[in-house]
Amino acid sequence: MRDTSAHDNPSATRTFVDDAPGIPFMTSHLPWNLEFDPAVAPTTTRVDLGEPWVVSCRVGRMSGRRRAPEIRNTQGEYAAVLMVHSGTEILTQQGRTTEVRAGTAALWDGVRPVECFSAASLVKSTMFIPRALLAGAVPDFDSVFVRTIENSATLRLLTGWLDVSMRQTALDRDAAHTAGRMAVDLLHSALARTRGDVSDSREVLLLQIKDFLDRNLGDPDLTLDMVARANAVSVRYLHMLFQGTGETAREFLRRRRLERAQRLLLGSGPELPVAEVAVRSGFDSPSSFSRAYRTRFGVAPREARRQSTAA
């Protein structure tokens, strides 16, 4: 297995390429019990994008299962979205079976038994996401598993975005988090369209607005009026776009600011003052930042840094 991370950049995200014969999936996927065509050595590439990670792979004929032993050996709880680029993979979980063809996708649950099968060669990507990142934003979470996500503009945006991200071998941590966050937002959009909640055009506009908010997190004077004007919509329509996402536009902005603050606070070491973390994250004062941080994470910023350093 080659580690293609940038050795001179310790803050870079890491890319792993498995090119040895055998079963490379144990270093890139969740634990599975897998059987492969012995004539075709599987290959995988993994890139970490903050909390999610994505794996692309090529395999021959394949069958596999995740049951109680594999689930027990998994650290953390994840959901995974399978995106097939060439070939077909069949997924079975909780009595449901779906055929994931080229250009389509499906979500499976990492905390429940699941089986997969491919009768011929297969090229695919799989993004693994902590379940908590999806459960709060996807209504009726259990209903979306093992349902075909049909080809759509948002699904093509997701696969294209992940393809671009996979080509970057030395993303710094902030860039990796941004790429992962955008990928999860695109997945939310693809799932929403599959459920019939929104149209592609509305979801693309919502993603545009979220991207605008992410790019302007550091502006403490940013208002929803400014956001609406910059994206050529009314404030009322801006609020409508966020309906069904699990949070309002204001809550989304606050959450993103706190996520950025936590990365700066815990990843920068003691040299970046807490007051500077507040400024860079768009809070108008250290005291308002401290209150918001304590409400979200249950501990004051300085204490969170102290605990992180001590660990």
Side-chain angles (χ1 to χ4, degrees), residues 12-207:
T13 186
R14 304 179 75 192
T15 300
F16 297 94
V17 179
D18 282 300
D19 53 9
I23 301 180
F25 285 74
M26 295 300 288
T27 61
S28 57
H29 292 64
L30 302 182
W32 277 80
N33 185 338
L34 294 163
E35 294 182 2
F36 294 98
D37 180 350
V40 182
T43 62
T44 68
T45 301
R46 166 176 168 163
V47 172
D48 295 332
L49 300 176
E51 292 182 272
W53 74 90
V54 58
V55 182
S56 65
C57 65
R58 295 174 179 268
V59 297
R61 186 181 186 278
M62 175 193 70
S63 64
R65 61 184 181 270
R66 261 178 66 84
R67 294 181 178 169
E70 290 77 30
I71 294 171
R72 283 196 300 270
N73 287 332
T74 302
Q75 295 183 350
E77 295 186 349
Y78 298 92
V81 57
L82 163 69
M83 295 155 283
V84 173
H85 310 303
S86 175
T88 299
E89 182 167 340
I90 297 172
L91 283 176
T92 300
Q93 187 171 57
Q94 294 291 105
R96 299 177 192 162
T97 298
T98 189
E99 186 177 274
V100 189
R101 307 173 307 281
T104 67
L107 197 70
W108 54 269
D109 193 354
V111 303
R112 296 170 177 168
V114 60
E115 296 183 0
C116 68
F117 172 75
S118 176
S121 61
L122 181 70
V123 180
K124 64 177 181 175
S125 298
T126 306
M127 182 169 67
F128 298 89
I129 314 111
R131 287 178 100 256
L133 285 183
L134 289 179
V138 178
D140 196 13
F141 187 42
D142 289 346
S143 70
V144 300
F145 289 115
V146 198
R147 306 285 192 194
T148 300
I149 304 172
E150 296 292 350
N151 195 331
S152 67
T154 47
L155 182 57
R156 291 192 296 275
L157 282 171
L158 173 60
T159 55
W161 180 255
L162 291 177
D163 181 61
V164 170
S165 300
M166 293 289 290
R167 296 168 190 253
Q168 311 306 311
T169 58
L171 288 174
D172 62 42
R173 293 191 185 279
D174 278 344
H177 275 280
T178 298
R181 189 173 59 231
M182 180 62 76
V184 172
D185 283 342
L186 286 165
L187 176 59
H188 288 166
S189 300
L191 290 171
R193 187 183 184 280
T194 296
R195 297 192 309 271
D197 293 348
V198 291
S199 66
D200 265 345
S201 59
R202 181 176 167 182
E203 277 301 300
V204 170
L205 178 57
L206 178 59
L207 289 169

Side-chain angles (χ1 to χ4, degrees), residues 214-222 253 256-258 260-262 264-265 272-290 293 301-302 305:
D214 282 336
R215 287 186 285 108
N216 291 276
L217 291 178
D219 181 1
D221 298 321
L222 184 67
L253 178 58
R256 291 292 215 229
R257 280 174 166 163
L258 286 169
R260 169 183 282 187
Q262 187 178 45
L264 289 173
L265 189 71
L272 187 65
V274 172
E276 182 65 20
V277 171
V279 169
R280 293 190 189 184
S281 304
F283 290 89
D284 55 10
S285 69
S287 60
S288 65
F289 166 56
S290 182
Y293 192 93
R302 294 183 191 280
R305 172 173 279 175

